[in-house]
Amino acid sequence: MSTLRFYAIKESSANKPIVVEEKERRSDLFGKNVFNENTMRQYLTKDAFVGVMNAIQYGKKIDRSIADQVASSMKDWALSKGVTHYTHWFQPLTGTTAEKHDAFFETVGNGMAIEKFGGSQLVQQEPDASSFPSGGIRNTFEARGYTAWDPTSPAFIYGTTLCIPTIFVAYTGEALDYKTPLLRALNAVDNAATDVCKYFDKNVKKVTSSLGWEQEYFLIDRLLAASRPDITLTGRTLLGHSSAKGQQLDDHYFGSIPSRALNFMRELENECMLLGIPVKTRHNEVAPNQFELAPIYEEANLAVDHNSLLMDVMGRVASRHNFKVLLHEKPFAGINGSGKHNNWSLSTDTGVNLLSPGKTPMSNLQFLTFFINTIKAVHENEELLRASIASASNDHRLGANEAPPAIMSVFIGEQLTKVLEELEGVTKGKLSPEEKTELKLNVVGKIPDVLLDNTDRNRTSPFAFTGNKFEFRAVGSMANCGNPMTVLNTIVAKQLIDFKKEVDLLIDKKDLKKDEAVFNVLREYIKATKAIRFEGNGYGKEWEAEAKKRGLSNNKTTPEALKAKISKKSIALFEEMNVMSKIESVSRYEIEMEAYIMHIQIEGRVLGDIARNHIVPTAVKYQNMLIENVKGLKEIFEEKFRTVAQEQISLIEEISSHIENINANVTKMTNERRKANVIEDVEKKAMAYCNNVKPFFDEIRKHCDKLELLVDDEIWPLTKYRELLFTR
């Protein structure tokens, strides 16, 4: 292994930046390989174009004749660009994307063939669903699953394949993917938000949820990464002593981007432009070899598709530049991990961002309505929101020094807190003309000025208001954004429905005017949400104790957190909003718990293998070298040898102690894993892996990392942190 390590170091140091030519402007490249509105105008008949646009904008069904026209035009466009195959591109509950390529080619007899692609192939396909997780929705032998075209997310060309974004459902109709519940949640929040908008603007007919994600990642030389079995098999380092220099000097953050990484980014951005992914920002992150990429915000469903596509494209482009992209939330101990901040807002079809203050008291009252209702939604569903970002990998990041804690809270800043405190004093019932004037001019009317000066940021908050959007910072870098976005849009939809009922009741039963009713309900919401609003430092025992007093949950592990997904409250919520049935909710819980078990199981096996088959033999080899040295000293110095060889003997004893501890803990871990494997109940099994297996990881690692400091560097088998993080 040490030979492989030094070969990887030598070869990686010889890698040069791969030149990327940028011959066209980004604006000219953008969307070239996408069957977008501009392309449809060129290729579709008027009827087909109107049919597709109605489906996109208003959710209307596309009839078969229109589908045939669209398929024919899509095929002609794709063939003109050298495409040979098509695929239904979907997002199963594995966390990755899936595709099955079929050729346009079809034989017609007499040794002849044609390119064929009809409406039936566009609208629906039947992939073998037997090997995708279903959480008990169907038996393995019941392999039928259907993919169905999602016209709201445009088809795109990647390589020589036409990719058609689709939903993925079981033969019995239940969702087996991330997209289907997301589309339902977006429909729910559209309807609920549009109804509330009518209080302020009768012209609003549609509300769109938008998302802007920020993708953090590590770029590691491909050969160095390949020399580490743990990175290859788990996406993170299970062992490794911290480098003497890490991120202490803050000299990487926003620093000059290394040439190799910059050329990787250039090619990645070119690919993104062709695929219609509107990437805009790139920069060094805090940790060495850590970077971030962020796009302009988009409609949430499209943004989720683009992020899923991006993660795949990143890996392919990285390999061409001799890099490996690490998307794991915590690939290296002792330095920052990676997240994927989800910037979320709601916008009307009249061009108004509902989370951005306007120029009039009425538009600011609208802002406050959606702002406070979002906080109320988080307050009422904080455990479910925590569950939406739970995973084995994100558990390593949440609560670490650079990331939000596992406790959900909302940060709004000092100035907006003062605004809410003033609104808390609104008179119950009807308002006097003087109070109305005071509220509209001096409280609500001054919100734009307040936000202009509200520059304080809180990096420890998992859910923060940042001027014209909420930023969900607890989402992990590997995550499919569809999961948290489904939950967030669902809970906000439910909250807006409840809000409208309360306001209408005050108008009808208490004879209050519309703005009086709105102020009255918002006042009660402000009082009710004090527990979830937190402006302080989210780290440490102090906040944990305070959060407990406030009645907030602190589910630090995935098995604890995921229970919220199958609570009576959560199941009822998803059913009421027509987002997921009870069967779908329970199946997702089962799938995510199984995924947690599998991840910990794989990491345990890999760790045991590396510790016993790589670290211990290397330590024994070095120990034998020391023993030979001591024997030689004894021959030379005879009686004095103990004095002369004192350090070597101590080192031999210390190495023996670490070897003993490694072997003992690997044995204990393996035994606990065997016990866990025979447990049939998925919750008990996950808890056993979490509480009985995983704790041995740190103990084994501690002794392996100590040996790294003791054993001769020339024979150490694993590429070290300094080599992984500072080879550029």
Side-chain angles (χ1 to χ4, degrees):
M1 276 297 286
S2 62
T3 304
L4 176 60
R5 173 189 161 207
F6 287 111
Y7 170 79
I9 293 169
K10 180 183 176 183
E11 291 298 311
S12 63
S13 63
N15 280 329
K16 303 297 180 188
I18 294 173
V19 177
V20 176
E21 293 185 7
E22 297 182 88
K23 295 179 179 179
E24 294 184 66
R25 291 183 179 182
R26 296 289 171 89
S27 57
D28 293 332
L29 282 177
F30 188 71
K32 261 192 172 182
N33 288 346
V34 181
F35 198 69
N36 52 25
E37 184 177 338
N38 185 48
T39 306
M40 285 192 290
R41 286 184 184 277
Q42 296 176 48
Y43 279 85
L44 296 183
T45 64
K46 183 178 180 181
D47 287 347
F49 178 77
V50 170
V52 174
M53 294 309 294
N54 282 338
I56 294 170
Q57 293 171 356
Y58 307 113
K60 292 186 178 180
K61 288 187 177 180
I62 296 175
D63 65 41
R64 180 56 186 268
S65 63
I66 295 294
D68 284 334
Q69 290 182 51
V70 174
S72 177
S73 299
M74 203 179 276
K75 179 198 70 177
D76 291 343
W77 170 73
L79 291 174
S80 74
K81 289 181 167 287
V83 168
T84 58
H85 289 69
Y86 67 91
T87 181
H88 275 201
W89 182 83
F90 57 102
Q91 299 163 45
L93 298 172
T94 55
T96 59
T97 58
E99 52 198 61
K100 176 175 75 78
H101 297 196
D102 286 303
F104 288 124
F105 168 87
E106 192 165 310
T107 58
V108 292
N110 297 321
M112 294 185 292
I114 59 170
E115 272 75 30
K116 187 177 179 182
F117 181 62
S120 58
Q121 287 96 351
L122 168 64
V123 172
Q124 184 175 302
Q125 291 279 285
E126 188 182 330
D128 181 349
S130 61
S131 294
F132 289 113
S134 69
I137 283 178
R138 47 141 185 78
N139 294 311
T140 301
F141 62 83
E142 295 169 327
R144 293 175 75 181
Y146 295 109
T147 51
W149 177 34
D150 170 21
T152 64
S153 184
F156 57 90
I157 294 169
Y158 193 52
T160 58
T161 304
L162 173 67
C163 301
I164 302 155
T166 58
I167 62 169
F168 181 43
V169 295
Y171 171 65
T172 46
E174 289 89 3
L176 295 173
D177 65 346
Y178 289 107
K179 181 186 275 281
T180 305
L182 175 63
L183 290 172
R184 295 170 184 165
L186 295 176
N187 183 59
V189 81
D190 172 15
N191 292 333
T194 299
D195 286 346
V196 172
C197 281
K198 300 286 187 188
Y199 288 140
F200 309 99
D201 183 356
K202 299 287 185 185
N203 296 317
V204 174
K205 293 184 176 65
K206 184 175 178 61
V207 171
T208 302
S209 172
S210 63
L211 167 65
W213 38 262
E214 302 169 25
Q215 182 69 60
E216 294 178 343
Y217 61 97
F218 281 83
L219 266 186
I220 305 300
D221 186 89
R222 182 172 56 85
L223 286 173
L224 295 181
S227 71
R228 295 276 310 214
D230 47 1
I231 292 179
T232 301
L233 297 174
T234 72
R236 76 180 182 104
T237 55
L238 299 173
L239 303 168
H241 198 280
S242 58
S243 169
K245 180 180 185 292
Q247 62 188 45
Q248 310 97 309
L249 300 178
D250 296 323
D251 54 349
H252 191 257
Y253 191 52
F254 278 25
S256 176
I257 301 173
S259 297
R260 278 183 70 197
L262 185 59
N263 281 356
F264 156 79
M265 291 176 183
R266 283 173 178 154
E267 184 174 350
L268 175 63
E269 289 168 4
N270 285 345
E271 292 280 358
C272 286
M273 288 298 107
L274 291 169
L275 293 166
I277 305 173
V279 293
K280 186 174 177 67
T281 303
R282 64 190 184 202
H283 63 81
N284 288 2
E285 259 299 334
V286 174
N289 278 351
Q290 186 187 31
F291 306 94
E292 182 181 296
L293 173 150
I296 299 167
Y297 71 89
E298 301 176 279
E299 184 274 327
N301 176 46
L302 183 58
V304 170
D305 281 2
H306 278 165
N307 182 249
S308 297
L309 176 58
L310 172 93
M311 290 191 284
D312 182 41
V313 174
M314 287 175 82
R316 299 189 193 199
V317 174
S319 66
R320 294 200 286 267
H321 289 258
N322 297 309
F323 279 126
K324 183 175 178 64
V325 171
L326 301 186
L327 293 172
H328 194 286
E329 283 81 357
K330 198 74 175 175
F332 301 99
I335 58 174
N336 280 15
S338 299
K340 179 154 42 195
H341 296 183
N342 278 207
N343 296 280
W344 172 87
S345 64
L346 296 170
S347 300
T348 69
D349 57 349
T350 58
V352 175
N353 178 353
L354 296 171
L355 290 175
S356 182
K359 296 179 180 178
T360 66
M362 184 55 76
S363 62
N364 284 337
L365 183 56
Q366 178 175 263
F367 156 72
L368 280 173
T369 295
F370 284 91
F371 174 69
I372 294 169
N373 270 283
T374 301
I375 297 171
K376 182 74 158 48
V378 175
H379 178 265
E380 296 300 316
N381 300 277
E382 45 96 8
E383 278 199 277
L384 182 57
L385 202 62
R386 163 67 180 96
S388 75
I389 47 94
S391 70
S393 53
N394 208 23
D395 281 357
H396 293 284
R397 171 177 165 262
L398 295 178
N401 288 338
E402 81 287 351
I407 304 165
M408 293 295 106
S409 64
V410 179
F411 170 82
I412 62 173
E414 184 182 347
Q415 300 303 321
L416 278 172
T417 299
K418 288 179 180 177
V419 170
L420 297 196
E421 287 170 353
E422 291 190 60
L423 288 173
E424 195 180 331
V426 169
T427 302
K428 190 172 183 179
K430 292 192 175 185
L431 309 181
S432 67
E434 292 80 13
E435 188 173 8
K436 275 190 181 182
T437 302
E438 172 66 19
L439 279 172
K440 289 181 177 179
L441 293 181
N442 295 326
V443 180
V444 178
K446 288 187 176 179
I447 288 173
D449 298 329
V450 165
L451 287 185
L452 194 65
D453 297 328
N454 186 19
T455 55
D456 45 337
R457 298 290 300 276
N458 187 332
R459 304 306 299 180
T460 66
S461 174
F463 198 84
F465 184 71
T466 54
N468 59 1
K469 63 190 183 303
F470 278 99
E471 187 174 0
F472 192 10
R473 295 180 179 142
V475 182
S477 51
M478 286 177 70
N480 183 304
C481 299
N483 203 352
M485 284 297 103
T486 296
V487 170
L488 180 55
N489 283 287
T490 301
I491 65 176
V492 171
K494 166 63 174 165
Q495 178 53 47
L496 291 171
I497 289 170
D498 291 346
F499 169 78
K500 189 173 187 303
K501 286 178 183 175
E502 291 184 58
V503 171
D504 287 348
L505 190 66
L506 290 178
I507 294 171
D508 296 339
K509 302 292 184 184
K510 300 291 184 180
D511 197 30
L512 296 186
K513 291 183 178 178
K514 180 180 63 181
D515 53 353
E516 291 175 329
V518 169
F519 274 126
N520 270 264
V521 175
L522 292 182
R523 178 194 64 233
E524 296 308 308
Y525 286 180
I526 291 166
K527 291 178 182 177
T529 58
K530 285 185 177 180
I532 202 73
R533 302 198 311 266
F534 180 62
E535 306 299 306
N537 187 345
Y539 298 142
K541 299 293 182 185
E542 217 173 291
W543 168 228
E544 287 186 18
E546 172 64 23
K548 190 174 181 180
K549 286 181 188 175
R550 296 183 181 204
L552 301 178
S553 65
N554 184 13
N555 297 322
K556 293 184 177 181
T557 68
T558 290
E560 289 177 307
L562 287 178
K563 291 177 187 177
K565 287 200 168 187
I566 54 167
S567 68
K568 288 182 180 179
K569 179 182 175 183
S570 296
I571 289 172
L573 166 71
F574 287 125
E575 287 188 319
E576 182 186 346
M577 293 294 102
N578 293 315
V579 172
M580 283 189 285
S581 66
K582 181 178 180 179
I583 292 173
E584 289 171 319
S585 292
V586 172
S587 74
R588 275 154 206 274
Y589 169 77
E590 298 263 350
I591 289 167
E592 290 178 37
M593 286 292 249
E594 285 285 358
Y596 178 85
I597 292 165
M598 291 299 107
H599 277 100
I600 303 301
Q601 185 185 84
I602 291 166
E603 288 190 351
R605 286 174 171 171
V606 173
L607 179 59
D609 169 47
I610 296 175
R612 278 195 166 150
N613 296 330
H614 299 267
I615 304 302
V616 168
T618 302
V620 170
K621 183 178 181 180
Y622 183 58
Q623 198 176 42
N624 288 336
M625 292 166 65
L626 291 172
I627 290 168
E628 288 301 314
N629 178 260
V630 170
K631 285 180 179 178
L633 292 173
K634 187 177 182 181
E635 286 180 14
I636 296 171
F637 294 101
E638 297 179 347
E639 293 85 2
K640 291 183 180 179
F641 93 94
R642 287 193 175 277
T643 305
V644 178
Q646 183 179 345
E647 290 300 322
Q648 290 90 324
I649 293 169
S650 295
L651 200 51
I652 291 166
E653 290 173 347
E654 192 176 348
I655 290 170
S656 291
S657 174
H658 290 306
I659 290 172
E660 181 185 356
N661 276 289
I662 290 168
N663 278 321
N665 281 298
V666 169
T667 298
K668 289 176 185 175
M669 177 186 69
T670 304
N671 290 337
E672 289 297 336
R673 202 168 65 233
R674 285 172 180 156
K675 290 179 191 175
N677 286 341
V678 299
I679 300 172
E680 292 187 5
D681 182 86
V682 71
E683 182 181 318
K684 291 177 181 176
K685 190 172 184 177
M687 293 303 290
Y689 264 96
C690 180
N691 298 327
N692 303 336
V693 177
K694 191 181 171 189
F696 286 106
F697 290 10
D698 288 341
E699 193 64 23
I700 294 166
R701 177 175 193 148
K702 180 179 77 175
H703 292 287
C704 290
D705 289 356
K706 290 289 185 183
L707 284 174
E708 184 181 327
L709 295 180
L710 300 177
V711 172
D712 183 0
D713 182 66
E714 287 293 317
I715 63 169
W716 188 253
L718 298 181
T719 305
K720 297 187 175 184
Y721 267 32
R722 66 170 183 263
E723 295 150 0
L724 290 165
L725 293 170
F726 291 95
T727 299
R728 294 171 180 170

